[in-house]
């Protein structure tokens, strides 16, 4: 054998085989049940919104990366996930231009401006959605009661969160908790499929794509604050069960807040981030102008991620050991002494 | 040997449950290569043409010992890198078929009555692995004797734990030699603990998963946070030795024989089931591969050590040293290529780190030369297990970045700890000035001449 033809490198010389595309394939797979259920309920309109959102997100990412001379990475599936998550938040009857605006701005402003995958401080999905939500002439298109009025769905055609805002706890008598849990409620294409999202979320946990800390913190945060408020005034504030199974809490806990780049990686950071998202959600539901506080709760908590990531137990070498290591350091000393 | 994770509740670990077929013997090589790390040619007492006997000390007093593991004639004394790339001196010996033992290595008459100093000297003189600390005369507080496999594909013979009485006497010898106050016997979680151990020995059940068997991790688990290994082979004031060496030492001391053979686990390309071999120390890796019927392919890798942190050899003439436990041959298709892509902040590395470092942040700081921030985040506590790079879905060279940060910090004026890169040039690879290629087939008179890589 010719000498010098072997590869030399430092360890590790094995790799576990994890790849970025597999992460996003797992997320897409976890969203399949909720997506299929949404398409069955709202038909071609829902399929159109989903296709448009995913297509425009991927196209925006590819065009931006081509234009800026960076490698095109749409094959990793992250843009497709952004598009799908956005579509599942929206009502099926939303105008096409709004889907494109949200998805393109989400990708460009929310992600590419900061350097692409991994560098975005906020979830691109939520940036796109928030742009629609806070743009005055468009926010009406996100009103589920108005948008879904022409569909025949076979359950109470009122958005539970809007009912709660308008009528308080007294208005919630018409909803059955079991119906709400099974996703028989007015809402986004996929974000209202509570049970199916829970199944998808558990799949992501089992695959190791997300950590249990953020979803758990989120759900505990919602439960605790809703329970406390309900305890204070049962007439004015809905209980924890209603808060958990309506709106986008389940979607937020497992899919939106766990977006890797905009969530912490430390154990305590993740728990506190999840708790904060959950608590703010109920606070926004109780006192803000928005029906469902999940999106803004997550956006707000994402801003604190760099701080939350500092909440770590720092290993510090004991001083004595440092001294010992320093004393033993020069290799030659003992030998020279011996000579 | 897969990566196990359960709902993120149990951290992923590489299982160490490897079994091997029976142990086979590698024949004596024609040329044995013995390396004394951290020494120069002037530290070697023999010269080309000298006859040496097994057990003879080839180094000058105070520099060694470098114990001859074979009998034969010296064919050359050259500069060569040690097992981890540190500068060293090498003696090449043309092996004679007839083995004779040096009279210098006298048996220890009464092991039970021998003093700690005598035992320390005898263990060092027999060339046992893990005895560098004795050479440097560093105080040892805790002695950890490990029966746990160090890395995936490494097989530790379970039968070593069977004889409690032999174990107790061997542990006693090492405790007296090291002067340790505390002896910890690390055994795999599933293994039975032998009876009859002295009261001073604590048994630590260790999970049978990588990296729990690494010397650094054993030291961390038993003694708190770690400062990087010192040149004396210590971790702080903790000494870690393998159980096989500890048990072999009793026979070595009683019979006055050097530690001249060791059992290594070999992983062939594409195989996950190791083959165990007994090899004479000093045998070039090429001869071990020949015995297995393997040939290194151009573009492949030959690892002296584990697949997680072994040293990739530029050529197959590197010898088996007393510390070698594993030999891994990789085909070109198995060679992993790391990539310089952005971190996606998935946190897989943070979750897998056995010492809870903020690996993702450290990787980014090291990538952009912010070594001050790396120091703030305690990068020196990294145990070099390599799991972060193993799990990274973006295939970032995280372990390599951490190593780079540590070495840069060690070289900085404020923190003179223990550099591994011998010259400090950071150009580790085939062009390394400290690496030396040996010509196994050359005539004795040519063997000392340096070859160009």
């Amino acid at each position: 054998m010719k000498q010098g033809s072997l590869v030399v490198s430092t360890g590790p010389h094995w790799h576990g085989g994890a790849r970025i595309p597999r992460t996003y394939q797992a997320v897409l797979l976890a969203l399949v049940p909720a997506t299929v259920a949404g398409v069955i309920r709202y038909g071609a309109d829902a399929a159109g919104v989903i296709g448009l959102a995913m297509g425009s997100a991927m196209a925006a990412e590819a065009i931006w990366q081509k234009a800026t001379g960076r490698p095109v990475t749409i094959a990793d599936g992250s843009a497709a996930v952004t598009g799908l998550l956005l579509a599942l938040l929206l009502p099926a009857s939303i105008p096409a231009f709004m889907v494109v605006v949200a998805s393109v701005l989400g990708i460009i402003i929310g992600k590419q401006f900061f350097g692409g995958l991994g560098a975005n401080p906020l979830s691109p999905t939520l940036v796109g959605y928030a742009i629609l939500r806070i743009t005055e002439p468009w926010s009406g298109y996100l009103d589920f009661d108005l948008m879904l009025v022409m569909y025949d769905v076979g359950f109470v055609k009122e958005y539970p969160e809007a009912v709660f805002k308008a009528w308080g706890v007294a208005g919630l008598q018409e909803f059955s908790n079991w119906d709400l849990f099974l996703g028989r409620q007015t809402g986004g294409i996929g974000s209202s499929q509570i049970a199916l999202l829970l199944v998808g979320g558990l799949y992501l946990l089992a695959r190791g794509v997300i950590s249990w800390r953020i979803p758990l913190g989120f759900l505990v945060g919602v439960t605790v604050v809703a329970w406390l408020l309900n305890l204070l005034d049962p007439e004015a504030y809905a209980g924890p069960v209603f808060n958990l199974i309506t709106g986008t809490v389940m979607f937020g806990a497992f899919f939106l807040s766990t977006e890797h780049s905009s969530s912490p990686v430390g154990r305590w950071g993740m728990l506190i981030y999840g708790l904060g998202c959950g608590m703010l959600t109920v606070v926004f539901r109780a006192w803000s102008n928005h029906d469902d506080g999940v999106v803004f709760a997550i956006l707000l908590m994402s801003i604190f991620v760099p701080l939350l990531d500092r909440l770590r137990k720092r290993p510090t070498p004991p001083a004595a050991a440092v001294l010992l290591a320093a004393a033993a350091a020069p290799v030659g000393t003992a030998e020279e002494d011996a000579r | 040997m897969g990566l196990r994770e359960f709902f993120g509740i149990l951290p992923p670990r590489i299982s160490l449950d490897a079994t091997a077929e029976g142990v086979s013997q590698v024949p004596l090589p024609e040329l044995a290569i013995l390396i004394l790390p951290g020494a120069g040619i002037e530290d070697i007492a023999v010269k080309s043409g000298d006859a040496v006997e097994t057990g003879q000390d080839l180094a000058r007093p105070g520099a060694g010992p470098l114990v001859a593991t074979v009998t034969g004639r010296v064919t050359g004394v050259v500069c060569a890198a040690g097992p981890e790339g540190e500068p060293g001196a090498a003696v090449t010996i043309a092996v004679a078929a007839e083995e004779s033992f040096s009279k210098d290595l006298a048996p220890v008459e009464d092991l039970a009555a021998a003093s700690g100093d005598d035992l320390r000297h005898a263990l060092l003189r027999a060339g046992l692995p893990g005895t560098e600390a004795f050479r440097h005369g560093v105080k040892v507080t805790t002695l950890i004797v490990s029966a746990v496999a160090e890395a995936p594909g490494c097989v530790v013979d379970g039968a070593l734990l069977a004889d409690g009485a032999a174990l107790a006497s061997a542990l006693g010898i090492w405790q007296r030699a090291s002067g340790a106050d505390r002896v910890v016997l690390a055994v795999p979680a599933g293994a039975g603990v032998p009876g009859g151990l002295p009261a001073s020995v604590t048994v630590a059940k260790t999970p049978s998963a990588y990296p729990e068997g690494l010397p650094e991790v054993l030291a961390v688990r038993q003694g708190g946070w770690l400062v990087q290994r010192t040149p004396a082979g210590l971790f702080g004031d903790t000494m870690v030795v393998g159980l096989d060496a500890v048990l072999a030492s009793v026979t070595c001391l009683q019979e006055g024989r050097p530690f001249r053979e060791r059992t290594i686990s070999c992983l062939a390309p594409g195989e996950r089931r190791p083959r165990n071999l007994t090899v004479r120390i000093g045998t070039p890796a090429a001869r071990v591969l020949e015995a297995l019927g393997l040939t290194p392919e151009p573009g492949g890798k030959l690892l002296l050590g584990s697949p997680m942190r072994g040293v990739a050899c530029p050529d197959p003439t590197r010898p088996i040293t007393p510390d070698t436990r594993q030999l891994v041959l990789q085909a070109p298709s198995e060679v992993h290529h790391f990539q310089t892509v952005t971190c996606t902040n998935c946190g897989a590395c943070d979750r897998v780190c056995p010492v809870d470092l903020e690996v993702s942040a450290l990787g980014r700081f090291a990538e952009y030369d912010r070594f001050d921030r790396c120091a703030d985040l305690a990068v020196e506590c990294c145990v070099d297990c390599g799991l972060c790079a193993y799990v990274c879905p973006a295939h970032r060279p995280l372990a390599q970045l951490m190593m780079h940060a540590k070495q840069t910090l060690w070289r900085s004026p404020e923190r003179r700890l223990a550099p591994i890169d011998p010259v400090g040039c950071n150009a580790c690879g085939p062009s390394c000035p400290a690496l030396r290629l040996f010509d196994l087939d050359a005539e004795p008179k040519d063997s000392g001449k340096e070859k160009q890589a």
Side-chain angles (χ1 to χ4, degrees), chain A residues 1-21 23-24 70 115 117-119 202 205-213 260-267 270 305 309-310 312-318 321-322 324-326 328-332 334-335 338-339, chain B residues 1 5 7-9 38 43 62 135-136 152 225 227 230-231 236-237 267 272 296-303 306-308 310 312-315 330 336 338 342-347 350-351 356-358 360 376-378 381 386 389-395 399-400 416-417 429-430 437-438 451:
Chain A
M1 203 196 99
K2 196 172 126 290
Q3 281 186 334
S5 59
L6 286 168
V7 175
V8 179
S9 71
T10 53
H13 308 280
W14 275 0
H15 190 274
R19 295 190 304 123
I20 297 175
T23 308
Y24 292 102
R70 295 171 72 94
L117 182 64
L202 291 177
L205 283 177
R207 282 286 304 268
V209 173
I210 61 174
S211 161
W212 55 270
R213 291 179 176 83
H260 284 153
S261 179
S262 55
S263 62
V265 289
R267 296 191 174 97
M270 284 197 277
V305 164
D309 259 338
R310 305 198 64 158
R312 291 282 288 263
K313 192 175 75 174
R314 291 275 149 71
T316 39
V322 174
L324 200 85
V331 178
E335 295 150 29
R339 265 176 251 148
Chain B
M1 252 188 278
E5 184 172 29
F7 272 70
I9 296 165
D43 293 321
R135 179 148 68 105
H136 292 274
W225 293 112
V227 170
T230 63
D237 53 356
L267 279 173
R272 290 258 156 149
E297 282 178 67
K301 265 187 194 176
L302 174 66
L303 312 176
S306 74
M308 294 307 279
C313 302
D315 81 318
Q330 288 186 326
H336 180 69
F338 289 95
T342 329
C343 170
T344 64
N345 206 43
C346 69
D350 292 61
R351 287 199 289 276
D356 277 334
L357 293 178
E358 290 166 67
S360 53
D376 293 345
L377 297 180
C381 293
Y390 181 86
V391 300
C392 180
H395 297 202
Q400 292 87 336
R416 285 230 170 268
L417 288 185
L437 309 182
F438 298 96
K451 291 209 158 201

Side-chain angles (χ1 to χ4, degrees), chain A residues 18-45:
Chain A
R19 295 190 304 123
I20 297 175
R22 294 221 184 118
T23 308
Y24 292 102
Q25 282 161 11
V27 178
L28 289 174
L29 200 60
L31 286 169
V32 162
T35 310
V36 169
V39 171
I40 289 171
R41 177 167 301 156
Y42 299 110
D45 293 346

Side-chain angles (χ1 to χ4, degrees), chain B residues 211-306:
Chain B
E212 296 299 326
L214 280 185
E216 285 89 341
V217 177
L218 289 171
V220 168
R221 300 284 185 255
Q222 294 302 323
W225 293 112
L226 166 82
V227 170
Q228 184 64 28
R229 175 152 56 131
T230 63
L234 290 180
F235 307 94
D237 53 356
T238 304
M239 180 175 179
V240 184
V241 278
L243 179 64
D244 50 350
V246 167
L247 287 176
S249 69
V250 180
T251 329
C252 289
L253 296 191
Q254 279 170 344
E255 296 175 4
R257 298 279 184 262
F259 185 72
R260 62 189 200 279
E261 269 187 344
R262 78 161 307 147
T263 305
I264 60 171
S265 309
C266 298
L267 279 173
E271 288 180 15
R272 290 258 156 149
R273 192 180 167 86
R275 297 185 236 181
N276 276 5
L277 299 167
T278 304
V279 184
R280 185 62 65 100
I281 290 161
T283 306
R287 295 289 174 261
V288 181
L289 296 178
E290 268 170 30
L292 288 169
L294 300 171
T295 325
E297 282 178 67
K301 265 187 194 176
L302 174 66
L303 312 176
L304 272 180
S306 74

